[in-house]
Amino acid sequence: MKQHTQSQLLIWQPLRRADCSACILHKEAKTVCNLGDGPVPCDGAVLGEAPGFNEDQHGIPFCGKTGVFLRRMLKDIGLDPRKLFFFNTVACRPPANRQPKAKEIKACSPFLFAQLERVKPKAVLVLGNAALRAVTGKKGAITKAEGSIVRKDGVAYVPCRHPSSVVRLENEDSYLFVLQTFKENLVIFRNILYPKKDRLYAVPEDAQERLPKC
Ligand code: URA
C-alpha cells in the first residue's frame, strides 16, 4: 500500500494536526488530519470531498476504489496521476461516508488553504459540491457548475462531478453518458495544464446515440 515519502512528511509534518478537534469528525476517524498526496509544488491538484474507508485506514487520499477509477480516467485523457497532488476538503472521514457538513468544511478550511499555499497549483479539479463550496464559496449542485472554469486568486478551479457518483452508475443505462461528461471536465482541466498538448481525447461521434432514454 502506498505511503507518504519522507520528503512529503518533512513538508507536511509541521502543518498536520494529528490531535485536531476543530470539528466532531476527529472522534470516529482512524487517521485524524489526512494529508494530501503528490509532488509539492505541483501545477495540477485534485480536490476530493473527504477520506473514505480505505483512505482513513491508510492515511492516503484516493487510495481506494474511487481513486483507482479516477486515476484510470486521468490516464485515459492523457494526464499522469503521479504528477498531480490529491487532497480533500475535510481531512477526517465522516461517519458512514456521509457528506461533510458546512461547519466541518469551515473548520477544516485553514488546513485546506495551507495545503493550497504550499502546492501552488495553476489548476484544481474540484470534485463534488463540498469541494466546490470550500474553494469558491459557490453553493449548489456541481452538475450546474461543470463545464465552466472559476478563476480565483490566480488559480483556475474546474468543477467536476465526484467520481464516486460515476462509479455508482456502472451498471445503469446512464453510465456512458455520465462518464463522458465526467471525462469532458477532466479534459478542461488537462487543457489548462497543457494548453498546447495534442488533443488526446475527442468526444465520440456516436455520443448522441448513447444519451439515456428519458
Ligand atoms: N473520495 C474522496 O472525495 N476523497 C478520497 O480521498 C477518496 C474518495
Side-chain angles (χ1 to χ4, degrees):
M1 179 51 71
K2 201 171 186 297
Q3 285 184 334
H4 285 103
T5 61
Q6 278 307 318
S7 58
Q8 282 179 325
L9 290 175
L10 277 177
I11 295 169
W12 297 119
Q13 238 30 303
L15 258 191
R16 178 162 182 246
R17 290 178 52 205
D19 60 351
C20 182
S21 57
C23 76
I24 62 159
L25 294 183
H26 73 282
K27 290 196 174 162
E28 291 186 38
K30 176 168 183 243
T31 307
V32 173
C33 199
N34 214 301
L35 288 175
D37 179 41
V40 179
C42 189
D43 281 350
V46 178
L47 180 63
E49 180 178 288
F53 175 80
N54 286 297
E55 290 77 18
D56 185 40
Q57 292 297 308
H58 301 286
I60 299 272
F62 287 103
C63 68
K65 188 179 170 194
T66 301
V68 171
F69 170 79
L70 175 59
R71 285 182 167 79
R72 208 174 70 221
M73 293 303 114
L74 287 164
K75 280 188 202 158
D76 264 16
I77 58 100
L79 276 178
D80 182 349
R82 291 170 303 179
K83 296 195 177 141
L84 299 172
F85 182 81
F86 294 83
F87 63 142
N88 276 307
T89 303
V90 296
C92 297
R93 183 190 181 210
N97 295 343
R98 67 158 168 76
Q99 286 234 326
K101 297 184 177 160
K103 58 184 172 190
E104 294 156 355
I105 295 172
K106 194 168 169 207
C108 214
S109 72
F111 184 56
L112 165 61
F113 285 103
Q115 288 183 92
L116 270 180
E117 223 168 78
R118 276 162 185 76
V119 175
K120 300 193 189 325
K122 267 197 224 159
V124 181
L125 183 70
V126 181
L127 301 173
N129 299 335
L132 183 68
R133 183 171 181 168
V135 286
T136 67
K138 285 186 189 295
K139 289 186 202 162
I142 192 86
T143 45
K144 293 238 165 72
E146 60 186 352
S148 68
I149 300 171
V150 182
R151 294 190 192 271
K152 204 176 155 208
D153 303 328
V155 181
Y157 293 96
V158 180
C160 178
R161 62 190 63 204
H162 197 283
S164 64
S165 71
V166 184
V167 172
R168 267 200 298 272
L169 291 175
E170 231 160 346
N171 298 318
E172 305 288 327
D173 287 350
S174 53
Y175 176 65
L176 285 179
F177 174 67
V178 171
L179 180 66
Q180 187 183 308
T181 313
F182 177 73
K183 279 190 169 181
E184 281 162 9
N185 295 321
L186 302 191
V187 169
I188 295 174
F189 175 59
R190 184 204 67 197
N191 289 350
I192 297 169
L193 293 174
Y194 302 103
K196 294 198 180 108
K197 203 169 165 170
D198 290 343
R199 303 287 178 247
L200 299 178
Y201 172 77
V203 178
E205 280 172 15
D206 66 343
Q208 286 304 316
E209 287 162 31
R210 293 193 282 103
L211 283 172
K213 295 185 186 68
C214 303

